[in-house]
Amino acid sequence: MRLEPRASVTPVMLIAAPLGAVAAALLLSGLLIAMSGAPVLEAYRRIVIGAFGSKLSITETLTRATPLILTGLAAATAFRARLWNIGGEGQFYLGALAAATLGAGSLGAGSIGAASGLQLPAPVLILVVMAAGALAGMAVLLVPLALRLRFGVDEVVTTLLLNFVVLLFVSMMIDGPLKDPMAFGWPQSVHVAPAAVLPKLVAGTRLHIGFAIAVLVSVAVWALQTYSVFGLEARAAGVNPRAAAFAGVSLPYILLRVACLSGGLAGLAGAIEVLGVKTYVTTDLSPGFGYSGIVVAMLAGLNPLGVVLSALFVATMFVGVDSMSRALHVPSFIADVTVSMSLLTMLVALLLVSYRIRR
């Protein structure tokens, strides 16, 4: 048996690949659910009800999907240009820390409240704080990019290891200069000013305007990649770097712009999570949004619009499985297993889309 490249890939195959990958992942997860002694169909019904069975569950699913959309976009834009950004988690955390710091207007413990912060109208303050989070995320990714361009260091390793460096830095800051003196010794940052908190989309729930921002950003990134010269050059750099360079594309310049966009999106995710949900930073702010964003991007086929749908699928698993676990006593880790299997099955699906098996 051998793999033979396909001459062309139809749109139907591109759509069928993620659907088949998700179906295969659910089938494999169903085997694990059956092994635990729970009815599989009832388990999946409970997942759907837990994620979409009420107004509260729907808003919780959309709230969980918000950072996944942005971290998924961060991974998708980088991967499309062959910039392997595995550091979304670190970029997320530093963006969150920058937002909490600037949103509270405090660089020292004990300075809490709007009076010590930026004296700006609420909409302007929110935009400034989100921009600060995006810039912080950019800064994290520019370090591995510089090492790659200057010394040829593999960015997979540097971006991954920077996640741990950033998390330790965040831990130091929230247990030191940015520690909230009203947290009774618990390591967390000061709260952002009320004027910097994102408005709610649905009253009485946690769903905030950040979800709408994330969807609009995905549309903007899609338009940028589809209709701009930068998008064309980034795709060319990802498909064939040598051919792109021969055609006059400056690879270092393109990668620099891609890194700014990718790191900025991950940093924006952290800022929006702080401004919309927590209002402060802790070391458990993210349950792995940066890593899950890679799965989201791959399930979407690196398509910015597909990222929204794949983020909703991943959020559905995380929110719905909690409800199913309580009802059927199935370990909630089945959500992590399903998401991980989705990535593996998607890689196999992409292989079969690009190649056919010959005997």
Side-chain angles (χ1 to χ4, degrees):
M1 298 177 62
R2 61 186 177 86
L3 294 176
E4 179 181 284
R6 295 182 184 272
S8 62
V9 179
T10 65
V12 175
M13 295 173 65
L14 292 176
I15 296 174
L19 296 179
V22 169
L26 292 176
L27 178 62
L28 294 172
S29 299
L31 297 177
L32 297 177
I33 293 174
M35 290 173 62
S36 70
V40 177
L41 294 181
E42 176 64 15
Y44 285 137
R45 190 181 76 85
R46 291 277 184 175
I47 291 175
V48 174
I49 293 175
F52 299 103
S54 65
K55 182 178 78 170
L56 177 61
S57 59
I58 292 173
T59 55
E60 281 298 307
T61 301
L62 297 181
T63 302
R64 178 64 71 92
T66 300
L68 290 172
I69 293 173
L70 293 170
T71 56
L73 286 172
T77 54
F79 290 0
R80 185 176 285 270
R82 288 196 184 183
L83 177 64
W84 308 114
N85 179 16
I86 315 297
E89 189 79 352
Q91 295 146 28
F92 177 94
Y93 266 105
L94 199 62
L97 186 68
T101 302
L102 193 61
S106 169
L107 292 176
S111 300
I112 307 173
S116 64
L118 299 174
Q119 300 301 311
L120 295 171
V124 178
L125 178 60
I126 289 173
L127 290 175
V128 169
V129 172
M130 288 196 300
L135 289 173
M138 291 181 194
V140 178
L141 186 51
L142 289 178
V143 174
L145 177 63
L147 292 174
R148 169 181 165 174
L149 295 178
R150 182 65 179 85
F151 301 107
V153 179
D154 187 352
E155 72 272 16
V156 172
V157 176
T158 51
T159 53
L160 178 62
L161 294 181
L162 267 179
N163 289 333
F164 304 100
V165 174
V166 170
L167 190 57
L168 289 172
F169 174 74
V170 170
S171 178
M172 179 189 73
M173 294 300 291
I174 64 177
D175 203 17
L178 297 180
K179 187 173 183 178
D180 185 355
M182 302 300 294
F184 303 103
W186 185 259
Q188 69 178 48
S189 74
V190 292
H191 290 257
V192 299
V197 176
L198 293 176
K200 301 297 182 185
L201 282 179
V202 180
T205 70
R206 298 202 305 167
L207 182 61
H208 51 84
I209 200 173
F211 175 73
I213 294 173
V215 173
L216 290 176
V217 169
S218 67
V219 175
V221 171
W222 170 80
L224 180 68
Q225 291 187 347
T226 305
Y227 298 109
S228 71
V229 175
F230 162 67
L232 175 62
E233 292 178 338
R235 291 201 307 274
V239 172
N240 194 324
R242 294 181 62 184
F246 181 78
V249 176
S250 174
L251 293 180
Y253 181 58
I254 287 298
L255 290 178
L256 175 63
R257 296 169 69 184
V258 169
C260 289
L261 179 59
S262 178
L265 288 169
L268 178 63
I272 286 180
E273 188 70 5
V274 168
L275 300 183
V277 179
K278 281 277 196 172
T279 74
Y280 59 89
V281 176
T282 59
T283 53
D284 61 352
L285 175 67
S286 167
F289 289 132
Y291 299 111
S292 298
I294 298 173
V295 180
V296 169
M298 296 303 297
L299 284 177
L302 307 185
N303 185 300
L305 297 182
V307 162
V308 178
L309 298 178
S310 58
L312 287 174
F313 165 72
V314 174
T316 297
M317 292 306 303
F318 283 129
V319 175
V321 163
D322 285 339
S323 175
M324 183 270 289
S325 177
R326 291 191 297 270
L328 301 179
H329 307 290
V330 175
S332 60
F333 294 110
I334 196 69
D336 300 289
V337 173
T338 304
V339 170
S340 301
M341 285 184 176
S342 298
L343 176 59
L344 296 176
T345 54
M346 186 60 189
L347 293 175
V348 175
L350 290 176
L351 177 67
L352 296 178
V353 166
S354 302
Y355 297 88
R356 58 167 54 92
I357 300 175
R358 292 293 191 187
R359 291 184 179 274

